[in-house]
Amino acid sequence: MKGFKFNGISAGIKSDNILDLGIIFSEKPAVMAALFTKNKIIAAPVILGKKKLKNRICQAILVNSGNANCCTGDQGLKDAMDSAEMVAKILRIDVDNVMVSSTGVIGQRLPMERIRKGIPRLIDDLETGDIDNFARSILTTDTTIKKVEKKCDVNDHVYTIVGIAKGSGMIKPDMATMLAYILTDAHVPHSVLQQSLQRSCDKSFNRISIDGDTSTNDTVICMANGMSRAIIEDHKDIARFNENLDHVLFGLSEKIVRDGEGATKLAKIVVKGAESSDDAFMAAQAIADSSLVKTALFGEDPNWGRIVAAAGRSGAALEMEKIDLLFDDVYILDRGSWCGQDAEALAHKVLKKSEYKIVIDFNLGDFDDYYLFCDFSMEYVKINADYRS
Amino acid sequence: MKGFKFNGISAGIKSDNILDLGIIFSEKPAVMAALFTKNKIIAAPVILGKKKLKNRICQAILVNSGNANCCTGDQGLKDAMDSAEMVAKILRIDVDNVMVSSTGVIGQRLPMERIRKGIPRLIDDLETGDIDNFARSILTTDTTIKKVEKKCDVNDHVYTIVGIAKGSGMIKPDMATMLAYILTDAHVPHSVLQQSLQRSCDKSFNRISIDGDTSTNDTVICMANGMSRAIIEDHKDIARFNENLDHVLFGLSEKIVRDGEGATKLAKIVVKGAESSDDAFMAAQAIADSSLVKTALFGEDPNWGRIVAAAGRSGAALEMEKIDLLFDDVYILDRGSWCGQDAEALAHKVLKKSEYKIVIDFNLGDFDDYYLFCDFSMEYVKINADYRS
């Protein structure tokens, strides 16, 4: 991918020399699209980011982990602006084109002295820095870096889309509950980029659930620097671009759920035959968010009663005697009737796998939807009970 | 309390001679009020109960634990009716006046042979049976019986209200997520009783959360047999009756949350100063349901950022710079500003207690609300991963 540079270092925000400060830099100013959390409590970098989005241009993104810079008042906003300014000065670019993101504990001031010392070092090493260091520097409780790359072409011109994300807990998107950076060297007009990003997020990041909580810092930023010769403009090319973007965002979504705090299973709930698209979405979300469903999956128990009960409280129209329920290809409910002990034993085998699909068909209408989610383990509780200590 | 008899036996629905079949009998037919789950997947006894409620009269309630008789189709409905008929025949009362309730695993047929053998034994011993045996026979994952009694008087006539409940998981009421039986020997007209029950449930059972799931079997039945000389009719007496009913239902609600699956803490979230009553309710519910808040409480961590973030995603109007947040009397946020390490240390002490209050004041309007909830422990996950095995 042309024209993007990355780096990630340990600035001492976290202990033990863990990477905690990262940067993305584009040699040329890039067209920017972005989406932010819908939580009403928003972190300082999100407040700032929403303002900067009006420029539609971005050249650098500074990200720190270990501290969310949220609920930090005017001081927090000043700290975010000061960080952006320092980056702009050293890189000799317009401060309006510098975005900042933070992720970590809420309510503590950024350790600005460490960040001020870290930024020059971060930028000095930009030539030798690499994308994996950046991807590592933005992690919190994540256990792995999350990166997806897709080579594409348009009219014989090759371009690349790269996505990097972090997210492991506080994941129930209303937008996208995490940080994600989507970069491409294609040339894409702003209006197309913003629409494509929104569309692709709705299908991917907005359909994953780890714990039903929505973060204050969620940010997805997309940069298109146009440094390849690929130009995305006409209808057909946009459609192809969208497909490629979907590929990257779906890939990141799956990586996030797979790395869910304490997760041992990756499950996809597919709702079929709902009376409306709202019904399909509500039912999928209620099932994916249910603590009782999630703990049953952890126990590898095909407890279909809990799945049906979660659908039943979701608000979606349904009739018990019409419901089909499958674990992968194993029918456990056929038009509302339990398929017996043999089916239950087969379903139990499916749940022993690390990855499977659960399909619930209401057989009422033509609307489908889905959600990716994970199980709920004792490890999740442990991680989140001890998070700040 | 005059005219009520109780019993509970082991009918072999559960293993190990655990009590699993119970009965409440009133010597005279009693005025009945009732409320049922709003889940669209409803158990056979709830389908039957809704029909029977039209009589407005109840004389006996048969309850089994260990099996929910839910998602059991026409056979399940027939089993519920057969059980009621058997009770009516032996007691020589009208079958229309017999209610049945079930609680336990979803999707398995009731073991009717055991129930048919159990019912005569249950009724034979009614003279020597006691209320604690009944209260014990309706439990599932509960660790203690839940019973509250209140002696009251009206115009110098004494009457009693007794409440018995079960509920420990699948608790997020939309109505009341559990079984509860409220009995009184006062004379109360049906219209008053139904209204009073609804009102009191809204304030108690509808404001508790253990895990955010709503059951398919939730039932609250209230019987007033009028066998004392207390007559509840005029405005002032109804108001007093409602207060007494509140006392019983609040008491049961608290016992349910305290006995929440794996719970180690009893917390009350109080939302103050909201712009509307809906806002106050939504914020209280979002905080009480948040897995991240609940795990922080388990970890005894005054992680106020998660509380504020849950309020922020609830849909309620709020402004960070106006929010006060207290753990008992300890201010941790004062008009959006963090009160510092000393406050944090004091708050940590509060969270070490087994019972406390969390107050969040939006300082925007005049509307308050509250929710009782518990923490989320590793034990909760363990109980629910292993529930059916």
Side-chain angles (χ1 to χ4, degrees):
Chain A
M1 192 176 46
K2 287 184 178 144
F4 286 99
K5 290 176 181 164
F6 305 87
N7 199 15
I9 62 164
S10 165
I13 305 167
K14 295 176 178 173
S15 51
D16 299 332
N17 293 319
I18 295 170
L19 302 194
D20 52 19
L21 194 65
I23 193 162
I24 300 172
F25 173 65
S26 171
E27 287 168 18
K28 289 192 181 174
V31 171
M32 170 172 63
L35 294 165
F36 299 99
T37 182
K38 287 183 184 157
N39 198 311
K40 282 186 184 132
I41 300 293
I42 53 177
V46 175
I47 298 173
L48 194 63
K50 283 183 171 184
K51 279 188 201 159
K52 286 183 186 256
L53 179 56
K54 289 174 193 150
N55 306 334
R56 303 176 174 192
I57 300 288
C58 175
Q59 194 164 5
I61 309 173
L62 179 77
V63 189
N64 77 274
S65 58
N67 184 313
N69 193 11
C70 180
C71 303
T72 44
D74 292 340
Q75 182 65 53
L77 203 57
K78 188 173 177 304
D79 290 342
M81 288 191 292
D82 287 352
S83 308
E85 217 151 284
M86 193 162 180
V87 168
K89 211 176 236 172
I90 301 178
L91 285 171
R92 289 185 198 142
I93 61 175
D94 189 340
V95 66
D96 288 345
N97 300 346
V98 179
M99 298 288 279
V100 293
S101 299
S102 297
T103 177
V105 177
I106 296 176
Q108 294 173 8
R109 204 193 143 184
L110 277 182
M112 282 306 289
E113 233 172 285
R114 291 172 193 183
I115 288 175
R116 269 194 210 98
K117 275 189 195 152
I119 289 173
R121 202 151 46 86
L122 185 69
I123 295 175
D124 281 352
D125 295 346
L126 208 43
E127 287 305 322
T128 56
D130 79 7
I131 187 166
D132 283 10
N133 276 351
F134 171 76
R136 190 163 301 282
S137 72
I138 68 176
L139 305 183
T140 54
T141 53
D142 308 60
T143 65
T144 63
I145 66 167
K146 294 167 186 74
K147 186 181 70 171
V148 176
E149 183 172 336
K150 174 90 176 147
K151 292 255 174 238
C152 329
D153 64 274
V154 59
N155 304 324
D156 294 332
H157 297 304
V158 174
Y159 67 96
T160 307
I161 305 177
V162 172
I164 307 131
K166 66 98 9 186
S168 185
M170 239 192 196
I171 297 279
K172 174 200 182 164
D174 191 4
M175 201 284 286
T177 322
M178 38 169 240
L179 303 179
Y181 307 98
I182 317 298
L183 314 167
T184 179
D185 51 6
H187 172 87
V188 194
H190 170 78
S191 61
V192 172
L193 198 64
Q194 184 71 32
Q195 239 179 346
S196 295
L197 184 65
Q198 178 72 61
R199 189 192 138 282
S200 205
C201 274
D202 278 345
K203 303 205 300 185
S204 56
F205 297 142
N206 285 355
R207 280 183 168 58
I208 58 178
S209 173
I210 288 174
D211 56 13
D213 268 286
T214 307
S215 138
T216 50
N217 289 53
D218 305 341
T219 299
V220 180
I221 299 175
C222 184
M223 291 168 76
N225 72 4
M227 288 183 73
S228 74
R229 296 174 64 197
I231 298 177
I232 311 296
E233 242 168 7
D234 80 23
H235 199 71
K236 197 180 90 267
D237 299 338
I238 293 173
R240 281 287 309 281
F241 177 77
N242 285 346
E243 275 170 35
N244 292 320
L245 195 61
D246 284 353
H247 174 89
V248 172
L249 269 60
F250 278 128
L252 290 175
S253 298
E254 200 180 300
K255 282 178 196 289
I256 288 173
V257 178
R258 205 184 288 276
D259 194 29
E261 288 172 348
T264 72
K265 308 285 178 186
L266 173 67
K268 184 178 191 176
I269 173 73
V270 179
V271 175
K272 288 186 175 174
E275 246 180 38
S276 72
S277 60
D278 277 358
D279 277 11
F281 180 77
M282 287 189 300
Q285 190 172 53
I287 293 166
D289 278 347
S290 162
S291 297
L292 286 172
V293 172
K294 287 156 114 73
T295 48
L297 298 191
F298 173 61
E300 301 179 339
D301 176 7
N303 193 330
W304 54 271
R306 290 186 183 169
I307 297 169
V308 166
R313 72 168 157 82
S314 70
L318 51 81
E319 295 165 30
M320 185 59 209
E321 60 278 12
K322 291 193 177 164
I323 292 176
D324 294 334
L325 185 63
L326 297 87
F327 294 95
D328 275 348
D329 297 321
V330 178
Y331 272 84
I332 191 90
L333 279 184
D334 183 0
R335 299 277 160 163
S337 293
W338 182 53
C339 299
Q341 280 301 352
D342 291 352
E344 190 105 1
L346 287 172
H348 181 57
K349 265 193 189 164
V350 171
L351 294 204
K352 284 190 165 302
K353 302 195 306 178
S354 65
E355 205 174 321
Y356 46 79
K357 202 166 66 176
I358 304 171
V359 180
I360 185 165
D361 193 335
F362 293 167
N363 288 303
L364 284 178
D366 297 325
F367 295 89
D368 300 354
D369 216 324
Y370 58 87
Y371 236 84
L372 277 187
F373 67 113
C374 58
D375 60 336
F376 217 161
S377 69
M378 283 175 263
E379 191 59 21
Y380 173 87
V381 176
K382 196 166 151 33
I383 291 167
N384 282 294
D386 300 342
Y387 184 53
R388 300 201 313 171
S389 54
Chain B
M1 191 176 45
K2 286 183 180 147
F4 286 100
K5 288 175 184 166
F6 305 87
N7 198 16
I9 62 165
S10 165
I13 305 167
K14 295 178 179 172
S15 51
D16 298 332
N17 293 319
I18 294 169
L19 303 193
D20 52 19
L21 194 65
I23 193 164
I24 301 172
F25 173 65
S26 171
E27 287 169 17
K28 289 190 182 176
V31 171
M32 171 173 62
L35 294 165
F36 299 99
T37 182
K38 287 183 185 158
N39 198 311
K40 281 186 186 133
I41 301 292
I42 54 176
V46 174
I47 298 173
L48 194 64
K50 283 184 171 183
K51 280 187 200 159
K52 288 184 184 254
L53 179 57
K54 290 174 191 151
N55 306 335
R56 303 177 172 191
I57 300 290
C58 175
Q59 193 164 5
I61 308 174
L62 179 78
V63 189
N64 76 274
S65 58
N67 184 312
N69 193 12
C70 181
C71 303
T72 43
D74 291 342
Q75 184 64 54
L77 203 58
K78 188 173 176 305
D79 289 343
M81 287 191 290
D82 286 353
S83 308
E85 217 151 285
M86 194 163 178
V87 168
K89 210 175 236 175
I90 301 178
L91 284 171
R92 290 186 197 139
I93 61 175
D94 189 339
V95 67
D96 289 345
N97 301 345
V98 179
M99 299 287 280
V100 294
S101 298
S102 297
T103 177
V105 177
I106 297 176
Q108 294 172 7
R109 205 193 143 185
L110 277 182
M112 282 305 288
E113 233 172 285
R114 289 171 193 184
I115 288 175
R116 270 194 209 99
K117 277 190 195 151
I119 290 173
R121 203 152 44 85
L122 184 69
I123 296 176
D124 280 354
D125 295 347
L126 207 44
E127 287 305 323
T128 56
D130 77 9
I131 188 167
D132 283 10
N133 276 351
F134 171 76
R136 189 162 301 282
S137 71
I138 67 176
L139 304 183
T140 54
T141 52
D142 308 61
T143 64
T144 62
I145 65 167
K146 295 166 186 75
K147 186 181 68 172
V148 176
E149 182 173 336
K150 174 89 176 149
K151 292 256 173 235
C152 328
D153 64 274
V154 57
N155 305 321
D156 294 333
H157 297 304
V158 173
Y159 68 95
T160 307
I161 305 177
V162 172
I164 307 131
K166 67 99 6 187
S168 186
M170 240 192 195
I171 296 281
K172 175 203 183 160
D174 191 6
M175 200 287 285
T177 321
M178 41 174 232
L179 302 180
Y181 307 98
I182 316 297
L183 314 167
T184 178
D185 51 5
H187 172 87
V188 193
H190 171 77
S191 61
V192 172
L193 198 64
Q194 185 71 32
Q195 238 179 346
S196 296
L197 184 65
Q198 178 72 63
R199 191 192 137 280
S200 205
C201 273
D202 278 344
K203 305 205 299 185
S204 56
F205 298 141
N206 284 355
R207 282 184 166 59
I208 58 178
S209 173
I210 288 173
D211 56 15
D213 269 287
T214 306
S215 138
T216 50
N217 289 52
D218 306 339
T219 299
V220 180
I221 299 174
C222 185
M223 292 170 75
N225 72 4
M227 287 183 73
S228 73
R229 295 173 65 197
I231 297 175
I232 311 296
E233 244 168 5
D234 80 23
H235 199 72
K236 196 179 92 274
D237 299 340
I238 292 173
R240 281 288 308 281
F241 176 77
N242 285 346
E243 276 171 34
N244 292 320
L245 195 61
D246 285 352
H247 174 89
V248 172
L249 269 61
F250 279 129
L252 290 175
S253 298
E254 199 181 300
K255 281 177 197 289
I256 287 172
V257 178
R258 204 185 289 276
D259 194 29
E261 287 172 349
T264 72
K265 308 286 179 185
L266 173 68
K268 184 178 191 175
I269 174 71
V270 179
V271 175
K272 288 185 177 174
E275 246 180 37
S276 71
S277 59
D278 277 358
D279 277 11
F281 180 76
M282 286 188 302
Q285 191 172 51
I287 293 165
D289 279 347
S290 162
S291 296
L292 285 171
V293 171
K294 288 156 112 73
T295 47
L297 299 192
F298 174 61
E300 302 180 339
D301 175 8
N303 194 328
W304 53 271
R306 292 187 182 168
I307 297 170
V308 167
R313 72 168 157 83
S314 70
L318 50 81
E319 296 165 30
M320 186 59 209
E321 60 279 11
K322 290 192 177 167
I323 292 176
D324 294 333
L325 185 64
L326 297 88
F327 293 95
D328 275 349
D329 298 323
V330 178
Y331 271 85
I332 192 90
L333 280 184
D334 183 0
R335 299 278 160 163
S337 293
W338 181 53
C339 299
Q341 280 301 351
D342 290 353
E344 191 105 0
L346 287 172
H348 181 57
K349 266 193 188 165
V350 171
L351 295 204
K352 285 192 166 299
K353 301 194 309 178
S354 64
E355 205 176 321
Y356 46 79
K357 202 167 65 177
I358 304 171
V359 181
I360 185 165
D361 194 334
F362 293 167
N363 288 303
L364 285 178
D366 296 324
F367 295 88
D368 300 354
D369 215 324
Y370 59 87
Y371 236 85
L372 276 187
F373 67 114
C374 59
D375 60 336
F376 218 162
S377 69
M378 284 177 261
E379 190 59 22
Y380 174 85
V381 176
K382 196 166 152 30
I383 291 167
N384 282 294
D386 301 341
Y387 184 53
R388 300 201 312 172
S389 53

